[in-house]
């Protein structure tokens, strides 16, 4: 059933048109892990949401983080780490494959896809034709491109940056890549802090989805008071940065 919407604690969100319905898919951590699905209506002054249903994670070892919706209503969901693993920080700090990527469809349920490919999978986005997937490896400090038809994998390293969130730019010619340029321990300390802002440095890059070459746009910086940046969205000449 639905989560406690007064305590949704949303993480990743994704918008897609599924079966002619404008659909918003939301990773929720309030009151337990779930993936909530809404129909969104843009007709009024303020958009309205109608709850469609929810999908539960495949098991207790899955920590849902980001979601990319497929045109049949299925979804790709990243799991950054195993919440039942007492040594998950050490596992992430190794930079080795860790975490999971799950694919869900109503008719078949959950499947783990591309095992041992990602190191701390975080953000995930799909190309317009849904055949190419880009995954942010938070602890692996790289972006992985996967051809979903052939399974071919290409990586671009981001040096010391913990690659967090991915988003297409406005004309979908580049991927905007954000992440923290401090340590994993500092990243978790920021995420668990009650402070509005963290003094964790971050950067924003632009990634060419064809050549997989990167270009630094912002940082590393805390932009005065807003540390712990995770990603960016474009609106014309303006970048909105998530934190």
């Amino acid at each position: 059933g639905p989560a406690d919407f007064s305590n949704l604690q949303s993480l990743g969100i994704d918008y897609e048109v599924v079966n002619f319905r404008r659909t918003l898919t939301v990773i929720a951590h309030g009151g337990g892990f779930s993936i909530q699905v809404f129909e969104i209506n843009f007709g009024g002054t303020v958009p309205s949401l109608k709850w469609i249903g929810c999908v539960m994670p495949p098991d207790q070892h899955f920590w849902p983080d980001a979601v990319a919706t497929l045109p049949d209503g299925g979804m790709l969901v990243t799991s950054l780490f195993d919440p039942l693993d007492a040594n998950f920080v050490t596992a992430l700090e190794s930079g080795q494959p860790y975490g999971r990527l799950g694919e869900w469809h109503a008719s078949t349920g959950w499947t783990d896809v591309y095992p041992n490919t990602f190191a701390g999978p975080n953000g995930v986005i799909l190309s317009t034709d849904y055949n190419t997937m880009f995954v942010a490896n938070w602890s692996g400090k790289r972006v992985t491109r996967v051809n979903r038809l052939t399974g071919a994998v290409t990586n671009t390293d981001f040096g010391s940056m913990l690659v967090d969130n991915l988003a297409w730019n406005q004309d979908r010619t580049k991927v905007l890549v954000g992440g923290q340029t401090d340590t994993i321990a500092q990243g978790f300390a920021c995420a668990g802090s009650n402070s509005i802002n963290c003094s964790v440095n971050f950067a924003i890059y632009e990634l060419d989805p064809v050549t997989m070459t990167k270009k630094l746009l912002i940082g590393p910086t805390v932009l005065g008071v807003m540390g712990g940046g995770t990603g960016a969205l474009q609106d014309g000449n303006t970048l909105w940065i998530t934190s």
Side-chain angles (χ1 to χ4, degrees), residues 4 20 23 28-29 55 57 68 76 85 93 131-132 137 145 156 170 175 190 192 198 223:
D4 176 4
F20 304 104
T23 301
H29 282 201
V55 176
L76 293 159
D85 179 5
E93 288 175 336
N131 292 332
T132 306
N137 294 259
R145 181 184 67 193
T156 295
Q170 197 158 312
V175 177
C190 176
C198 300
L223 282 186

mmCIF file of all heavy atoms in Angstrom, residues 4 20 23 28-29 55 57 68 76 85 93 131-132 137 145 156 170 175 190 192 198 223:
data_model
loop_
_atom_site.group_PDB
_atom_site.id
_atom_site.type_symbol
_atom_site.label_atom_id
_atom_site.label_comp_id
_atom_site.label_asym_id
_atom_site.label_seq_id
_atom_site.Cartn_x
_atom_site.Cartn_y
_atom_site.Cartn_z
ATOM 1 N N ASP A 4 3.576 6.545 4.036
ATOM 2 C CA ASP A 4 3.084 7.681 4.797
ATOM 3 C C ASP A 4 3.537 8.929 4.051
ATOM 4 O O ASP A 4 4.688 9.333 4.141
ATOM 5 C CB ASP A 4 3.665 7.633 6.210
ATOM 6 C CG ASP A 4 3.284 8.849 7.042
ATOM 7 O OD1 ASP A 4 2.511 9.694 6.544
ATOM 8 O OD2 ASP A 4 3.770 8.961 8.170
ATOM 9 N N PHE A 20 0.285 6.399 -22.011
ATOM 10 C CA PHE A 20 -0.386 7.684 -22.193
ATOM 11 C C PHE A 20 -0.662 8.405 -20.869
ATOM 12 O O PHE A 20 -1.377 9.403 -20.847
ATOM 13 C CB PHE A 20 -1.703 7.516 -22.971
ATOM 14 C CG PHE A 20 -1.527 6.849 -24.299
ATOM 15 C CD1 PHE A 20 -1.889 5.522 -24.477
ATOM 16 C CD2 PHE A 20 -0.965 7.532 -25.374
ATOM 17 C CE1 PHE A 20 -1.713 4.890 -25.707
ATOM 18 C CE2 PHE A 20 -0.787 6.910 -26.598
ATOM 19 C CZ PHE A 20 -1.152 5.591 -26.770
ATOM 20 N N THR A 23 3.618 9.939 -15.714
ATOM 21 C CA THR A 23 3.889 9.131 -14.522
ATOM 22 C C THR A 23 5.115 9.656 -13.788
ATOM 23 O O THR A 23 6.163 9.902 -14.391
ATOM 24 C CB THR A 23 4.113 7.663 -14.928
ATOM 25 O OG1 THR A 23 2.941 7.187 -15.599
ATOM 26 C CG2 THR A 23 4.368 6.798 -13.710
ATOM 27 N N ALA A 28 10.965 6.130 -2.081
ATOM 28 C CA ALA A 28 10.559 6.619 -0.758
ATOM 29 C C ALA A 28 11.242 5.809 0.339
ATOM 30 O O ALA A 28 11.307 4.582 0.265
ATOM 31 C CB ALA A 28 9.038 6.531 -0.609
ATOM 32 N N HIS A 29 11.757 6.514 1.348
ATOM 33 C CA HIS A 29 12.387 5.859 2.498
ATOM 34 C C HIS A 29 11.632 6.097 3.793
ATOM 35 O O HIS A 29 12.014 5.573 4.836
ATOM 36 C CB HIS A 29 13.838 6.340 2.652
ATOM 37 C CG HIS A 29 14.792 5.701 1.693
ATOM 38 N ND1 HIS A 29 16.145 5.652 1.908
ATOM 39 C CD2 HIS A 29 14.600 5.071 0.511
ATOM 40 C CE1 HIS A 29 16.753 5.027 0.904
ATOM 41 N NE2 HIS A 29 15.817 4.676 0.037
ATOM 42 N N VAL A 55 5.770 -0.328 -5.663
ATOM 43 C CA VAL A 55 6.561 -1.544 -5.836
ATOM 44 C C VAL A 55 7.485 -1.653 -4.633
ATOM 45 O O VAL A 55 8.133 -0.672 -4.249
ATOM 46 C CB VAL A 55 7.385 -1.480 -7.143
ATOM 47 C CG1 VAL A 55 8.277 -2.706 -7.282
ATOM 48 C CG2 VAL A 55 6.459 -1.345 -8.341
ATOM 49 N N PRO A 57 10.891 -3.187 -2.701
ATOM 50 C CA PRO A 57 12.213 -3.675 -3.114
ATOM 51 C C PRO A 57 12.249 -5.196 -3.153
ATOM 52 O O PRO A 57 11.418 -5.874 -2.521
ATOM 53 C CB PRO A 57 13.144 -3.119 -2.031
ATOM 54 C CG PRO A 57 12.394 -1.977 -1.416
ATOM 55 C CD PRO A 57 10.948 -2.355 -1.494
ATOM 56 N N ALA A 68 14.942 4.801 -13.006
ATOM 57 C CA ALA A 68 14.705 5.185 -14.399
ATOM 58 C C ALA A 68 13.532 4.349 -14.891
ATOM 59 O O ALA A 68 13.575 3.111 -14.850
ATOM 60 C CB ALA A 68 15.945 4.943 -15.258
ATOM 61 N N LEU A 76 14.202 0.573 -13.719
ATOM 62 C CA LEU A 76 15.548 0.234 -13.284
ATOM 63 C C LEU A 76 15.807 1.001 -11.997
ATOM 64 O O LEU A 76 15.600 2.221 -11.945
ATOM 65 C CB LEU A 76 16.578 0.623 -14.343
ATOM 66 C CG LEU A 76 16.514 -0.159 -15.651
ATOM 67 C CD1 LEU A 76 17.194 0.608 -16.774
ATOM 68 C CD2 LEU A 76 17.166 -1.531 -15.481
ATOM 69 N N ASP A 85 24.544 -5.048 5.752
ATOM 70 C CA ASP A 85 25.980 -5.305 5.804
ATOM 71 C C ASP A 85 26.621 -4.312 6.768
ATOM 72 O O ASP A 85 26.692 -3.112 6.486
ATOM 73 C CB ASP A 85 26.587 -5.157 4.408
ATOM 74 C CG ASP A 85 28.086 -5.392 4.379
ATOM 75 O OD1 ASP A 85 28.660 -5.762 5.419
ATOM 76 O OD2 ASP A 85 28.695 -5.212 3.301
ATOM 77 N N GLU A 93 34.417 1.878 0.316
ATOM 78 C CA GLU A 93 35.723 2.529 0.257
ATOM 79 C C GLU A 93 36.736 1.748 -0.568
ATOM 80 O O GLU A 93 37.720 2.317 -1.048
ATOM 81 C CB GLU A 93 36.262 2.769 1.671
ATOM 82 C CG GLU A 93 35.527 3.869 2.415
ATOM 83 C CD GLU A 93 35.982 4.030 3.852
ATOM 84 O OE1 GLU A 93 36.516 3.058 4.429
ATOM 85 O OE2 GLU A 93 35.795 5.125 4.409
ATOM 86 N N ASN A 131 17.551 2.275 -25.054
ATOM 87 C CA ASN A 131 18.515 1.204 -25.339
ATOM 88 C C ASN A 131 19.870 1.416 -24.672
ATOM 89 O O ASN A 131 20.677 0.483 -24.607
ATOM 90 C CB ASN A 131 18.717 1.061 -26.849
ATOM 91 C CG ASN A 131 17.490 0.530 -27.544
ATOM 92 O OD1 ASN A 131 16.696 -0.199 -26.939
ATOM 93 N ND2 ASN A 131 17.305 0.897 -28.803
ATOM 94 N N THR A 132 20.136 2.634 -24.209
ATOM 95 C CA THR A 132 21.408 2.926 -23.555
ATOM 96 C C THR A 132 21.151 3.443 -22.152
ATOM 97 O O THR A 132 20.270 4.285 -21.946
ATOM 98 C CB THR A 132 22.209 3.975 -24.351
ATOM 99 O OG1 THR A 132 22.356 3.526 -25.696
ATOM 100 C CG2 THR A 132 23.585 4.173 -23.745
ATOM 101 N N ASN A 137 28.576 5.554 -10.647
ATOM 102 C CA ASN A 137 29.235 4.706 -9.648
ATOM 103 C C ASN A 137 29.769 5.628 -8.556
ATOM 104 O O ASN A 137 30.803 6.270 -8.724
ATOM 105 C CB ASN A 137 30.393 3.941 -10.274
ATOM 106 C CG ASN A 137 29.949 2.932 -11.303
ATOM 107 O OD1 ASN A 137 29.873 1.740 -11.039
ATOM 108 N ND2 ASN A 137 29.661 3.402 -12.507
ATOM 109 N N ARG A 145 28.433 3.482 -19.040
ATOM 110 C CA ARG A 145 27.422 3.417 -20.101
ATOM 111 C C ARG A 145 27.237 1.955 -20.489
ATOM 112 O O ARG A 145 28.211 1.245 -20.735
ATOM 113 C CB ARG A 145 27.865 4.235 -21.315
ATOM 114 C CG ARG A 145 26.854 4.242 -22.469
ATOM 115 C CD ARG A 145 27.399 5.000 -23.669
ATOM 116 N NE ARG A 145 28.543 4.316 -24.276
ATOM 117 C CZ ARG A 145 29.361 4.867 -25.181
ATOM 118 N NH1 ARG A 145 29.170 6.116 -25.570
ATOM 119 N NH2 ARG A 145 30.368 4.182 -25.672
ATOM 120 N N THR A 156 33.851 6.057 -17.885
ATOM 121 C CA THR A 156 34.625 7.290 -17.810
ATOM 122 C C THR A 156 34.918 7.583 -16.353
ATOM 123 O O THR A 156 33.987 7.669 -15.531
ATOM 124 C CB THR A 156 33.866 8.480 -18.436
ATOM 125 O OG1 THR A 156 33.701 8.241 -19.826
ATOM 126 C CG2 THR A 156 34.634 9.778 -18.238
ATOM 127 N N GLN A 170 19.181 20.206 -21.296
ATOM 128 C CA GLN A 170 17.856 20.557 -21.806
ATOM 129 C C GLN A 170 17.569 19.981 -23.186
ATOM 130 O O GLN A 170 16.442 19.567 -23.470
ATOM 131 C CB GLN A 170 17.717 22.079 -21.827
ATOM 132 C CG GLN A 170 16.280 22.548 -21.937
ATOM 133 C CD GLN A 170 16.106 23.957 -21.435
ATOM 134 O OE1 GLN A 170 16.564 24.294 -20.365
ATOM 135 N NE2 GLN A 170 15.445 24.783 -22.222
ATOM 136 N N VAL A 175 25.085 14.715 -20.771
ATOM 137 C CA VAL A 175 24.665 14.269 -19.446
ATOM 138 C C VAL A 175 25.315 15.174 -18.412
ATOM 139 O O VAL A 175 26.536 15.390 -18.443
ATOM 140 C CB VAL A 175 25.073 12.805 -19.195
ATOM 141 C CG1 VAL A 175 24.683 12.376 -17.785
ATOM 142 C CG2 VAL A 175 24.427 11.883 -20.233
ATOM 143 N N CYS A 190 27.739 13.954 6.051
ATOM 144 C CA CYS A 190 26.869 15.016 5.540
ATOM 145 C C CYS A 190 25.427 14.521 5.425
ATOM 146 O O CYS A 190 24.487 15.185 5.856
ATOM 147 C CB CYS A 190 27.388 15.482 4.186
ATOM 148 S SG CYS A 190 26.351 16.717 3.366
ATOM 149 N N GLY A 192 23.958 12.209 7.028
ATOM 150 C CA GLY A 192 23.350 11.943 8.326
ATOM 151 C C GLY A 192 23.280 13.143 9.241
ATOM 152 O O GLY A 192 22.797 13.044 10.371
ATOM 153 N N CYS A 198 26.306 21.366 4.337
ATOM 154 C CA CYS A 198 27.525 20.661 4.725
ATOM 155 C C CYS A 198 28.707 21.275 3.987
ATOM 156 O O CYS A 198 28.580 21.666 2.823
ATOM 157 C CB CYS A 198 27.451 19.174 4.351
ATOM 158 S SG CYS A 198 26.085 18.297 5.126
ATOM 159 N N LEU A 223 30.177 26.530 -3.095
ATOM 160 C CA LEU A 223 29.326 27.645 -3.532
ATOM 161 C C LEU A 223 28.912 28.525 -2.352
ATOM 162 O O LEU A 223 27.725 28.821 -2.158
ATOM 163 C CB LEU A 223 28.091 27.139 -4.272
ATOM 164 C CG LEU A 223 28.290 26.703 -5.721
ATOM 165 C CD1 LEU A 223 26.952 26.360 -6.360
ATOM 166 C CD2 LEU A 223 28.990 27.773 -6.551
#
